[in-house]
C-alpha cells in the first residue's frame, strides 16, 4: 500500500510540473487543479514544495506559476547531448563571426525545438528564441530541419495536431508541410521565411552523429532585409560548419 501511495504522489508531482511547463506565460492554481484533475489543496501543497526547491515560482503580479531555474537546469541536462554542445560551441561562435548574425543550436523534443546554445553576431537581433525555450518545430528553421528527419510516424503525429498561424507566412496546410519537409531532406537545409516571427529569416541545417542519426541542428537568424542579400553565402558557411561538427561527432557522409 505504501508503494502505491508513493507512486501516486510522484505521479501527481510530475503531472503538475508537466502542466506548468506547457504554459510558458504561467498558469493559475485554479487552472492547474482543473487541468490536472487533482484537488486544489493537493496542488497547492505540492506547489509550495516545488517552490521551496526552486522548480516552480509564483509571479506575484499575475498570480501564475511558471518553471523556475531548477526545472530549466534539469530539463537541459536531460535533453542535451554534452558532446554535441561541447563540440558545437566553438564552431557556432565561428559561424556567428562569419555571418555577423545570431546562431542557435537546438534539439528536437516532441514536436518542438529546444534551444541549447546561442552565439550572437556583431549585428544584434530581437527574437523569441532564447536558451532553454521551446518553440514549435513546424514553423521554425531549426525545428523543420529536425522534424524532417524524424520517423514518418512522428511526423504524422505532429502534423495531426492543431497548427497555429503565427504570421501570414506560417505554413499550416499539412500537404504543404509534408512537401516542405521532403524538400528539406533533399536540399539538406531548411528555411524559416518569417513563419514564426515577422521580419525574421532563418536558415538551418541538421547535425548528424556516428550512427547517421540527426541529434540537433544549427541555424543562422537575422532580419530579412539583412539576410536576403547574403543568403547564398550564409548557407555555404552554415553547410561547412555543420559538416565539421557532424564529422567531429563521428559522422561519415
Amino acid at each position: 500500500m505504501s508503494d502505491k501511495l508513493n507512486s501516486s504522489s510522484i505521479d501527481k508531482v510530475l503531472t503538475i510540473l508537466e502542466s506548468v511547463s506547457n504554459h510558458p506565460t504561467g498558469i493559475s492554481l485554479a487552472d492547474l487543479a482543473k487541468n490536472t484533475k487533482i484537488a486544489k489543496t493537493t496542488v497547492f501543497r505540492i506547489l509550495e514544495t516545488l517552490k521551496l526547491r526552486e522548480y516552480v515560482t509564483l509571479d506575484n503580479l499575475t498570480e501564475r506559476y511558471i518553471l523556475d531555474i531548477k526545472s530549466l537546469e534539469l530539463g537541459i541536462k536531460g535533453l542535451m547531448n554534452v558532446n554535441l554542445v561541447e563540440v558545437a560551441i566553438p564552431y557556432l561562435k565561428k559561424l556567428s563571426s562569419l555571418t555577423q548574425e545570431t546562431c542557435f543550436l537546438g534539439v528536437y523534443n516532441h514536436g518542438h525545438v529546444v534551444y541549447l546554445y546561442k552565439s550572437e553576431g556583431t549585428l544584434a537581433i530581437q527574437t523569441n528564441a532564447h536558451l532553454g525555450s521551446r518553440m514549435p518545430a513546424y514553423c521554425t528553421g531549426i525545428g523543420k530541419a529536425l522534424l524532417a528527419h524524424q520517423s514518418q510516424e512522428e511526423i504524422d503525429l505532429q502534423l495531426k495536431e492543431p497548427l497555429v498561424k503565427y504570421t501570414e507566412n506560417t505554413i499550416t496546410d499539412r500537404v504543404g508541410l509534408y512537401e516542405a519537409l521532403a524538400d528539406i531532406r533533399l536540399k539538406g537545409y531548411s528555411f524559416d521565411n518569417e513563419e514564426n516571427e515577422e521580419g525574421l529569416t532563418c536558415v538551418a541545417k541538421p547535425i548528424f552523429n556516428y550512427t547517421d542519426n540527426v541529434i540537433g541542428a544549427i541555424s543562422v537568424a537575422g532580419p530579412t532585409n539583412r539576410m536576403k542579400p547574403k543568403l547564398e553565402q550564409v548557407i555555404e558557411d552554415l553547410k561547412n560548419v555543420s559538416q565539421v561538427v557532424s564529422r567531429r561527432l563521428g559522422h561519415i557522409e
Side-chain angles (χ1 to χ4, degrees):
M1 181 65 113
S2 176
D3 286 344
K4 287 183 178 180
L5 284 173
N6 287 337
S7 176
S8 174
S9 298
I10 293 168
D11 186 64
K12 287 174 182 175
V13 172
L14 294 175
T15 299
I16 289 167
L17 265 178
E18 287 171 359
S19 186
V20 174
S21 73
N22 288 331
H23 295 82
T25 59
I27 183 170
S28 68
L29 174 62
D31 284 340
L32 265 174
K34 181 181 177 181
N35 291 355
T36 60
K37 295 181 173 58
I38 300 173
K40 194 173 179 180
T41 52
T42 302
V43 174
F44 178 76
R45 187 175 69 251
I46 291 171
L47 286 170
E48 286 299 293
T49 300
L50 291 172
K51 276 171 60 183
L52 285 173
R53 297 287 296 271
E54 296 184 321
Y55 283 94
V56 301
T57 186
L58 177 64
D59 186 324
N60 292 320
L61 292 176
T62 63
E63 294 188 345
R64 290 171 178 265
Y65 290 90
I66 56 176
L67 293 182
D68 206 350
I69 188 66
K70 287 289 182 63
S71 289
L72 179 61
E73 288 175 355
L74 191 63
I76 290 177
K77 285 176 182 176
L79 282 170
M80 73 179 179
N81 180 317
V82 175
N83 289 331
L84 168 64
V85 177
E86 289 179 352
V87 168
I89 284 175
Y91 295 102
L92 235 67
K93 289 179 177 178
K94 178 182 178 182
L95 184 60
S96 62
S97 176
L98 283 171
T99 62
Q100 297 183 295
E101 303 293 352
T102 301
C103 300
F104 295 91
L105 172 68
V107 293
Y108 184 80
N109 181 247
H110 301 298
H112 290 79
V113 53
V114 180
Y115 295 93
L116 299 183
Y117 187 78
K118 176 174 76 170
S119 178
E120 294 184 347
T122 54
L123 303 173
I125 61 166
Q126 288 187 339
T127 173
N128 293 330
H130 54 84
L131 186 65
S133 67
R134 296 168 79 247
M135 299 187 77
Y138 70 91
C139 62
T140 55
I142 286 185
K144 287 194 289 182
L146 294 168
L147 185 59
H149 289 86
Q150 301 304 307
S151 67
Q152 192 59 52
E153 291 77 12
E154 175 66 10
I155 293 172
D156 291 343
L157 177 66
Q158 296 306 325
L159 296 191
K160 284 179 183 177
E161 297 295 316
L163 304 175
V164 177
K165 196 170 182 65
Y166 291 94
T167 73
E168 287 299 315
N169 289 357
T170 306
I171 304 171
T172 55
D173 171 63
R174 286 167 175 77
V175 174
L177 278 168
Y178 277 113
E179 291 175 349
L181 295 177
D183 191 52
I184 291 165
R185 288 190 291 273
L186 183 65
K187 291 181 176 177
Y189 57 85
S190 65
F191 278 116
D192 168 1
N193 182 29
E194 300 188 29
E195 295 162 45
N196 185 255
E197 296 181 56
E198 290 183 1
L200 191 72
T201 291
C202 172
V203 58
K205 203 170 187 317
I207 299 297
F208 296 84
N209 68 358
Y210 63 95
T211 64
D212 202 33
N213 288 319
V214 170
I215 58 170
I218 293 173
S219 71
V220 180
T224 300
N225 62 349
R226 276 207 313 255
M227 288 285 285
K228 291 291 185 183
K230 59 182 180 181
L231 202 51
E232 188 175 329
Q233 185 59 52
V234 168
I235 292 171
E236 186 64 23
D237 291 336
L238 175 64
K239 178 182 177 181
N240 292 336
V241 167
S242 63
Q243 284 178 338
V244 172
V245 174
S246 292
R247 283 200 297 268
R248 287 287 308 277
L249 292 167
H251 181 250
I252 301 173
E253 293 187 26

